[in-house]
Amino acid sequence: MTYVIEGKKDSWQVVLGLEVHAQISSKSKLFSVASTNWGSDPNTQVELVDCGMPGALPVINEYCVDQAVLTGLSLNAEIKKMSIFDRKNYFYPDLPQGYQISQFEHPIVGKGHINIEIEGKVKKIGITRLHLEQDAGKSLHDQDIKNSYIDLNRSGCALMEIVSEPDLSSPIEAAEYVKKLRSILRYIGSCDGNMEKGNLRADVNVSVKREGEKLGTRCEIKNVNSIKFIQQAIEFEAKRQVNIIENGEKIIQETRLFDPNKCETRSMRSKEESHDYRYFPDPDLPPLIISDEKVNLLKEKLPELPDEKKNRFMREFNLSSYDAEVIVNDQGTAHFFEKLVKGRDPKVVTNWITGEVFSHLKKINKDIKNSGITPEKIGSLIDLIVDEKISNRQAKEVFEEYMKSMDDATTFIEKKGLVQLSDQSEIYKIIDKVLSDNPKMVDDYKNGKDKLFGFFIGQVMKISKGKANPKLVNELLVKRLKE
Amino acid sequence: MSIDNSTVKKVAKLARIEINEEEETTLITELNNILGWVDELQQVNTDSVEPMLSVFNESMQMREDQAESNFDNSQILDNSPESNAGFFVVPKVVE
Amino acid sequence: MNDFENLSISSAIEGLANKNFTSLELTEFFIKKIEKHNDLNCFITSTFDKAIEMAKISDQKIKENETRPLEGIPIGMKDLFCTNGVRTTAGSKILENFVPFYESTVSNNLWNSGAIMLGKTNMDEFAMGSANTTSFFGNVKNPLGSKVNKELVPGGSSGGSASAVSSGLCLGSTGSDTGGSIRQPASFCGLVGLKPTYGRCSRFGMIAFASSLDQAGPITKTVEDSALMLQAMVSFDKRDSTSSRQSIPDFSDYKKLSIKGKRIGIPKEYMIDGLNSDIKKIWDSGISWFKSEGAEILEISLPHTKSALPTYYIIAPAEASANLARYDGIRYGFRHNADDLNDLYEKTRGLGFGKEVKRRLMIGTYVLSAGYYDAYYLKALKVRKLISQDFEDSFKKCDLILTPTTPNVAFPIGEKQTNPIEMYLNDVLTVPASLAGLPAISVPSGFNSEKLPIGLQLIGKPFDEISVLGAGAVIEELRGF
């Protein structure tokens, strides 16, 4: 389904391109040995380069180069044998050198692509390039009426800027693209994908056009730091542009900021002033040469990526495309699934993961990897159901409590006295009691009121306090009523 | 290519250098002289010549990813004209 | 008290080893001398207490036979090298009160070799100048001016370093050379100035002017002293990505070098219009000295020589425009307060930088700006390649190149101030080797009619400082003074 904005006069399409900034999960910064730890006191993780001291010189972190190459490989992209670092010149208080070391004409990674899935359809999104650059420091504007405060702890941290082709055409596509990218980055470990900490953030280029028209003038929304905000920002900005054009005015190419509180974008005057960045090759850094040997070594390190894993899960475990997508999206979940599914029914395992386990994780606000939940813990519970020791319903009812306990499933069930009642004669006793207590209903049932079957089941379960094996109750009740 | 006062103003703005009118007049002359002089490079045939980025032709040495802490906050801020609570302080930036 | 004024580093090392005098005596002598010659304005900051402390340690080391290569040798440190706890200004108001909390690799290497710091020497602001007249701390005088009863420039940008060595205020000093800033002042002050191959000395902690050209080197009285100081200054430094991993030779091996059979190239393009006739004469003498030693003299051509200076005056200001962007009044240095951030930037930099620096920042900003990059900056990078190629081709035919260092001798302070290009032309003979990153030395080779010194320049192949020093020693031996 195409995303269309209905203006007063025409229907409009949106054209979107994303520049995603991903902070590399390295111990030290791109060109300095300062730590990248998050949340330290201001200006405590600052080396000479990071605060632009006279005579300071950059020295590149090999780990960051490797992560850029790995990421390039996982984006099906061309790794450039030679790339060059440039200086991007502009004045800003959190840019201590007066320039950002970035890559302009010769990035480390060239063209590639990733696939996203929208309503079961696969769409290929082109990657224009990936380059390495320094992050800026942080300016705090709300500490003081007259002043801004500058913290350079983030200054010089390694960023990968991943630029997409303008292949995205709806907010949901943009969201799926970022989700997929984040999933890939997490799989290979090059970025933790944490958008709240700003470790992953996107600049969104938005333009609108009528069908069949050429690309319109675009606006760039800077630094959007959640997937929800990306969608909201696009929706607002596209409508804003449609209104402007339909009123006979022109879009001015500019940088805008998304305000999540007002859910709108507004012009960033300060960044507008001059866009002459005067890029030139940084004379402090020789060209970066990537050997074939390095690329081959890194290729071997590349894990199975989400798409490959998804295909394998569909093939090996007969999962639906939707289930497989949900499970492989997070690498931890995929690992968990693979351990849990060993010797168990994939369908049951999938239902438990996407059902109870996911809602539990949401409650405790953790991902599966650091939740403390083990496949053994969930597995032993599933096994009890399959072995008909407890019912599925029972298991779901006690799930939260079970997650809190330290016991394995068997011990837990025993302590709770939850063992399923599967003794035929015991069940017959309960059935007989229910039938003799309700003679009228038995008559009605026999006269064709089939619905009452459910009532008898419910009564049996109630009397057994939910312990009776539902399958058995069903069987025996049918037998008795036929008698 | 000749430099007029609007170019000088624009370049001074880019370089964040305040110049007064007198300096502006002098700079117009001087920059025109200098740029006129370097313009003789246009006569050099550089077809099929690769730009020389550096005379240094050894491969770039890379660093292992080890974090160090060589300076504390007071050293970093020691030379600053204005600081507060561990931060550098500047006049309010409008975004 | 001994008179140490004409002492060389090598003879001082000998004297200290033979216990003829102590490092403390040496140091105190120079401290007194510096105080007496304040008028030359060689030093921006003196570090006498530190010097005495260091001298005492050196004397102790000598006593205990733990002598390091430059043990107890008092030197001047160009104020471009960051020195831990000692104010470092680069000759600029914008760094007037800047005190680094780190040490440049070159200065650190020198202290680790036992050298003693007397102070930080004056220089053209951010090393931009050829007469040491752009320093915020005032111009430096050339001590040789007294010979002709004129106030002469010492050359630049390492003018304070050269003047201090020439007037016997220290035994040697460091300089930095971007387009001639070691060789030209050495020539003007009758000294040996050596710019090593780009990458030999680490640039870490050396305040950047033009990163692809900047290279540290010594200014000394003799070739031997240059070799000694250079040995202490060089190192592979993992903190500088352009620091060379080439093996470091024993530079004193220049003494073993035989000039016989070496091929010395004489580039015809260096016979420029306006080359002083006395200098031309000395150049001819130089040729004859090498001939007499059995060297083969051949005329060579470096066809793009004429383009070197314009190329330099695009590349160096372009790099400087970015290198000097960090001086913004926020984290250190001079700040002119304002309520608006842009005002603060513009006033700080407008008032904090001197005229010549601002001029070059304007040029550099312009040649990198949209629409001009290709015509100026990119073009200059291509011509730089051609210039470098010229040298590469020539060094297939010859081992060394002999030229004058400067087109003129030291000139009076105040001259060449009206037109910047006139000042820039001082570097016409030194800039080509800088652009090609080659080692080059200026050695005093004679005098003009007024007895002002004239230097000849020897340019060598990359990393062949030994031949450059060896040929320099030949001049020293045969020049007849």
Side-chain angles (χ1 to χ4, degrees):
Chain A
M1 199 185 73
T2 16
Y3 178 78
V4 175
I5 293 176
E6 295 298 341
K8 277 175 258 166
K9 300 170 187 161
D10 296 303
S11 297
W12 298 82
Q13 301 177 344
V14 293
V15 180
L16 307 166
L18 262 64
E19 291 164 21
V20 171
H21 292 89
Q23 187 182 321
I24 296 176
S25 307
S26 56
K27 293 191 205 99
S28 63
K29 296 180 179 178
L30 180 55
F31 294 112
S32 97
V33 296
S35 164
T36 57
N37 274 349
W38 195 81
S40 306
D41 287 341
N43 296 305
T44 54
Q45 288 167 183
V46 178
E47 290 286 316
L48 303 178
V49 170
D50 313 317
C51 59
M53 282 291 157
L57 291 173
V59 179
I60 200 163
N61 182 341
E62 182 162 23
Y63 181 81
C64 296
V65 172
D66 289 358
Q67 294 311 302
V69 172
L70 267 177
T71 307
L73 290 171
S74 66
L75 302 178
N76 312 295
E78 181 198 359
I79 308 301
K80 302 283 188 181
K81 286 193 165 48
M82 190 204 68
S83 64
I84 288 173
F85 287 100
D86 296 283
R87 294 182 180 179
K88 179 183 182 179
N89 299 284
Y90 64 95
F91 286 86
Y92 205 72
D94 60 22
L95 188 76
Q97 298 170 115
Y99 55 83
Q100 175 195 34
I101 305 178
S102 181
Q103 297 188 301
F104 185 51
E105 239 182 288
H106 302 280
I108 182 166
V109 174
K111 279 193 186 308
H113 71 270
I114 60 172
N115 293 324
I116 60 169
E117 201 174 308
I118 305 280
E119 289 167 4
K121 271 192 191 154
V122 173
K123 183 169 177 181
K124 188 167 157 181
I125 307 299
I127 303 287
T128 316
R129 57 185 282 166
L130 174 155
H131 70 253
L132 281 166
E133 63 183 26
Q134 292 175 303
D135 205 345
K138 261 188 189 141
S139 304
L140 289 84
H141 305 302
D142 45 10
Q143 310 278 306
D144 179 333
I145 312 165
K146 280 181 70 186
N147 297 306
S148 292
Y149 284 49
I150 311 296
D151 172 15
L152 299 177
N153 282 351
R154 204 182 61 187
S155 161
C157 284
L159 292 181
M160 296 183 283
E161 178 172 324
I162 303 164
V163 183
S164 84
E165 296 286 321
D167 289 347
L168 300 158
S169 48
S170 73
I172 190 80
E173 282 186 18
E176 287 305 315
Y177 169 76
V178 175
K179 278 187 201 161
K180 190 55 166 285
L181 201 55
R182 184 173 62 181
S183 168
I184 293 171
L185 296 174
R186 285 175 168 167
Y187 261 68
I188 58 174
S190 60
C191 169
D192 68 13
N194 190 324
M195 296 188 86
E196 275 167 38
K197 288 183 185 171
N199 293 351
L200 191 78
R201 50 192 197 266
D203 297 344
V204 188
N205 285 296
V206 182
S207 67
V208 297
K209 66 180 184 88
R210 297 181 189 87
E211 199 182 340
E213 277 184 350
K214 281 193 298 183
L215 283 181
T217 305
R218 65 189 163 86
C219 289
E220 185 183 18
I221 311 164
K222 279 266 178 211
N223 270 337
V224 193
N225 65 352
S226 92
I227 288 173
K228 193 175 94 190
F229 293 163
I230 289 174
Q231 289 176 266
Q232 290 173 341
I234 293 168
E235 280 165 22
F236 175 87
E237 177 61 18
K239 279 182 195 139
R240 187 188 73 90
Q241 293 186 11
V242 166
N243 283 338
I244 289 175
I245 303 172
E246 291 200 338
N247 285 335
E249 289 164 57
K250 277 193 172 154
I251 305 292
I252 309 158
Q253 187 170 342
E254 63 174 357
T255 310
R256 301 181 66 83
L257 201 65
F258 178 66
D259 182 339
N261 297 320
K262 295 183 185 158
C263 213
E264 62 180 33
T265 66
R266 58 183 156 84
S267 185
M268 276 174 90
R269 277 175 301 139
S270 59
K271 296 251 168 175
E272 262 329 280
E273 201 189 308
S274 55
H275 264 310
D276 195 343
Y277 289 129
R278 289 159 286 134
Y279 283 99
F280 76 103
D282 191 332
D284 287 332
L285 294 160
L288 175 62
I289 310 292
I290 310 283
S291 65
D292 290 339
E293 200 190 344
K294 185 186 251 316
V295 174
N296 289 334
L297 267 168
L298 289 169
K299 256 185 199 157
E300 282 171 27
K301 278 195 194 169
L302 214 58
E304 186 183 33
L305 292 170
D307 280 356
E308 301 167 55
K309 206 181 271 290
K310 179 184 167 185
N311 289 336
R312 181 166 63 81
F313 280 7
M314 288 169 69
R315 209 171 52 236
E316 270 181 30
F317 304 114
N318 219 2
L319 297 193
S320 71
S321 171
Y322 178 82
D323 282 345
E325 180 83 24
V326 169
I327 284 176
V328 304
N329 184 40
D330 170 53
Q331 196 175 23
T333 308
H335 277 319
F336 192 91
F337 172 82
E338 283 207 84
K339 280 199 178 157
L340 189 55
V341 83
K342 252 180 214 145
R344 297 191 179 96
D345 179 356
K347 186 69 202 160
V348 175
V349 165
T350 305
N351 286 343
W352 271 88
I353 289 180
T354 59
E356 300 309 305
V357 174
F358 276 6
S359 68
H360 175 70
L361 291 173
K362 212 170 177 184
K363 255 178 229 157
I364 60 170
N365 195 23
K366 278 188 174 148
D367 54 32
I368 207 158
K369 211 172 147 191
N370 50 33
S371 66
I373 306 174
T374 62
E376 289 74 30
K377 178 116 183 166
I378 304 297
S380 63
L381 190 67
I382 292 176
D383 292 345
L384 289 182
I385 302 165
V386 174
D387 295 347
E388 300 190 343
K389 296 266 168 48
I390 57 168
S391 69
N392 206 49
R393 200 182 103 192
Q394 281 178 306
K396 282 184 181 175
E397 272 171 14
V398 298
F399 186 76
E400 286 300 324
E401 203 180 329
Y402 173 56
M403 293 319 293
K404 278 179 210 145
S405 83
M406 302 297 288
D407 295 326
D408 64 67
T410 313
T411 320
F412 178 79
I413 295 302
E414 268 170 20
K415 278 188 188 168
K416 291 282 292 178
L418 270 184
V419 182
Q420 183 163 263
L421 183 61
S422 295
D423 183 322
Q424 289 206 9
S425 61
E426 286 293 315
I427 293 177
Y428 267 132
K429 270 185 199 162
I430 301 171
I431 290 176
D432 291 344
K433 184 178 179 343
V434 169
L435 298 183
S436 62
D437 284 355
N438 300 286
K440 175 144 195 319
M441 290 196 181
V442 174
D443 282 348
D444 288 352
Y445 176 81
K446 287 188 171 160
N447 290 329
K449 242 186 167 180
D450 290 350
K451 274 187 192 163
L452 285 168
F453 189 76
F455 167 79
F456 298 133
I457 295 265
Q459 288 300 306
V460 175
M461 293 310 286
K462 195 175 160 191
I463 290 170
S464 76
K465 292 188 179 116
K467 286 183 192 173
N469 181 340
K471 221 171 101 197
L472 211 53
V473 172
N474 211 359
E475 260 175 48
L476 300 181
L477 188 63
V478 170
K479 262 190 196 166
R480 240 340 167 241
L481 286 167
K482 272 184 186 160
E483 280 167 9
Chain B
M1 280 168 264
S2 124
I3 291 198
D4 55 16
N5 54 350
S6 77
T7 315
V8 166
K9 277 202 177 88
K10 197 190 109 194
V11 174
K13 192 104 205 147
L14 269 178
R16 296 293 189 282
I17 296 172
E18 184 176 77
I19 47 169
N20 57 34
E21 254 174 66
E22 190 196 323
E23 285 174 303
E24 190 183 306
T25 318
T26 325
L27 276 167
I28 292 171
T29 321
E30 285 172 354
L31 296 191
N32 272 317
N33 282 343
I34 294 165
L35 290 165
W37 169 63
V38 300
D39 236 5
E40 71 176 58
L41 287 191
Q42 304 311 326
Q43 289 153 27
V44 181
N45 182 351
T46 51
D47 298 350
S48 74
V49 178
E50 282 294 310
M52 186 178 203
L53 300 184
S54 172
V55 295
F56 186 79
N57 54 18
E58 296 170 33
S59 65
M60 180 155 64
Q61 189 91 337
M62 299 197 224
R63 204 185 83 230
E64 242 185 90
D65 184 28
Q66 298 287 2
E68 289 175 26
S69 177
N70 295 312
F71 307 109
D72 59 34
N73 177 268
S74 65
Q75 285 175 303
I76 296 298
L77 296 178
D78 204 28
N79 280 287
S80 70
E82 197 182 345
S83 64
N84 189 8
F87 293 94
F88 295 102
V89 176
V90 299
K92 188 118 183 159
V93 184
V94 192
E95 274 203 343
Chain C
M1 190 190 252
N2 281 304
D3 186 0
F4 299 124
E5 191 173 310
N6 295 312
L7 203 62
S8 65
I9 293 176
S10 54
S11 44
I13 290 173
E14 216 182 292
L16 286 167
N18 294 335
K19 316 271 195 311
N20 297 342
F21 44 80
T22 65
S23 173
L24 190 60
E25 285 169 341
L26 260 183
T27 304
E28 282 174 340
F29 169 85
F30 288 117
I31 289 173
K32 285 213 178 86
K33 197 113 201 261
I34 291 168
E35 282 170 338
K36 200 174 141 198
H37 286 281
N38 249 337
D39 59 313
L40 293 173
N41 201 21
C42 292
F43 287 87
I44 292 174
T45 306
S46 59
T47 54
F48 297 156
D49 291 347
K50 201 174 188 109
I52 285 172
E53 200 182 300
M54 289 170 101
K56 284 179 182 163
I57 293 170
S58 283
D59 283 333
Q60 191 63 31
K61 292 243 181 204
I62 292 168
K63 207 188 259 174
E64 287 164 4
N65 273 330
E66 286 174 5
T67 313
R68 297 164 293 179
L70 292 179
E71 198 67 73
I73 302 299
I75 60 167
M77 181 60 61
K78 187 174 180 177
D79 208 18
L80 195 71
F81 296 91
C82 288
T83 39
N84 196 346
V86 175
R87 179 172 79 136
T88 301
T89 71
S92 181
K93 175 185 170 70
I94 215 156
L95 287 177
E96 191 181 356
N97 298 311
F98 175 64
V99 181
F101 47 93
Y102 49 93
E103 187 80 30
S104 84
T105 300
V106 162
S107 55
N108 200 42
N109 286 347
L110 282 163
W111 314 142
N112 284 338
S113 296
I116 286 164
M117 172 161 64
L118 290 164
K120 306 295 293 286
T121 58
N122 203 341
M123 56 181 283
D124 277 303
E125 186 180 4
F126 284 104
M128 298 179 189
S130 309
N132 217 122
T133 48
T134 72
S135 170
F136 172 68
F137 301 90
N139 62 271
V140 176
K141 286 180 207 163
N142 186 331
L144 305 176
S146 59
K147 278 190 182 177
V148 292
N149 275 323
K150 282 181 198 160
E151 295 217 317
L152 298 181
V153 302
S157 67
S158 314
S161 289
S163 180
V165 178
S166 181
S167 50
L169 308 187
C170 56
L171 290 175
S173 64
T174 57
S176 71
D177 192 315
T178 305
S181 284
I182 289 174
R183 292 161 284 164
Q184 187 250 19
S187 176
F188 278 14
C189 293
L191 298 167
V192 176
L194 173 63
K195 180 197 95 71
T197 312
Y198 183 83
R200 266 286 193 227
C201 288
S202 165
R203 294 186 296 110
F204 174 80
M206 183 170 90
I207 295 177
F209 161 18
S211 314
S212 77
L213 295 152
D214 296 343
Q215 188 53 211
I219 295 178
T220 58
K221 288 174 190 149
T222 67
V223 168
E224 187 176 15
D225 287 1
S226 269
L228 285 165
M229 267 189 82
L230 180 66
Q231 197 80 53
M233 290 166 77
V234 298
S235 63
F236 165 66
D237 185 1
K238 58 182 173 44
R239 291 178 297 179
D240 173 3
S241 301
T242 63
S243 170
S244 175
R245 299 188 289 281
Q246 288 269 339
S247 65
I248 294 166
D250 181 345
F251 292 112
S252 71
D253 280 352
Y254 81 86
K255 292 173 184 167
K256 298 179 193 156
L257 186 90
S258 163
I259 212 73
K260 196 172 173 200
K262 292 270 178 205
R263 299 159 303 168
I264 312 271
I266 310 297
K268 59 180 181 192
E269 290 82 6
Y270 279 56
M271 183 63 84
I272 51 166
D273 294 343
L275 183 68
N276 176 296
S277 60
D278 289 329
I279 293 178
K280 169 78 183 80
K281 234 183 277 169
I282 299 292
W283 192 9
D284 287 337
S285 307
I287 292 170
S288 66
W289 300 330
F290 283 107
K291 255 188 204 158
S292 72
E293 285 292 291
E296 186 190 329
I297 304 294
L298 63 153
E299 188 189 83
I300 58 163
S301 173
L302 299 165
H304 297 93
T305 299
K306 194 167 75 86
S307 302
L309 211 50
T311 301
Y312 175 86
Y313 273 96
I314 292 170
I315 292 174
E319 293 183 16
S321 73
N323 281 332
L324 272 62
R326 64 190 59 197
Y327 307 107
D328 58 5
I330 291 179
R331 296 163 312 284
Y332 49 81
F334 169 75
R335 170 192 285 199
H336 184 94
N337 273 311
D339 292 338
D340 173 77
L341 180 70
N342 264 325
D343 271 2
L344 182 148
Y345 280 146
E346 289 174 9
K347 293 211 163 73
T348 295
R349 293 165 61 81
L351 298 167
F353 291 133
K355 265 205 176 92
E356 180 59 26
V357 170
K358 285 192 265 189
R359 196 180 286 139
R360 294 201 198 184
L361 294 183
M362 293 286 288
I363 297 170
T365 303
Y366 181 78
V367 297
L368 289 175
S369 64
Y372 303 102
Y373 181 91
D374 286 3
Y376 289 109
Y377 184 70
L378 192 63
K379 183 80 184 181
L381 292 185
K382 289 178 178 175
V383 179
R384 184 175 187 182
K385 178 81 195 169
L386 292 172
I387 291 163
S388 187
Q389 195 68 51
D390 284 354
F391 279 107
E392 221 173 281
D393 294 344
S394 289
F395 280 126
K396 284 174 191 150
K397 297 175 212 136
C398 65
D399 304 300
L400 284 159
I401 294 170
L402 177 70
T403 78
T405 307
T406 56
N408 270 296
V409 294
F411 49 86
I413 293 171
E415 232 176 58
K416 302 181 198 286
Q417 296 290 330
T418 43
N419 181 356
I421 297 173
E422 233 185 301
M423 187 65 86
Y424 299 169
L425 287 170
N426 265 294
D427 299 329
V428 66
L429 305 175
T430 46
V431 150
S434 294
L435 287 169
L438 301 169
I441 198 169
S442 176
V443 182
S445 306
F447 301 92
N448 74 350
S449 52
E450 286 186 301
K451 299 281 179 242
L452 289 175
I454 292 168
L456 287 180
Q457 171 179 234
L458 286 149
I459 304 168
K461 294 174 186 173
F463 300 100
D464 189 14
E465 284 83 4
I466 291 203
S467 293
V468 168
L469 287 160
V474 169
I475 295 180
E476 245 176 3
E477 205 179 301
L478 299 179
R479 68 192 174 192
F481 59 88

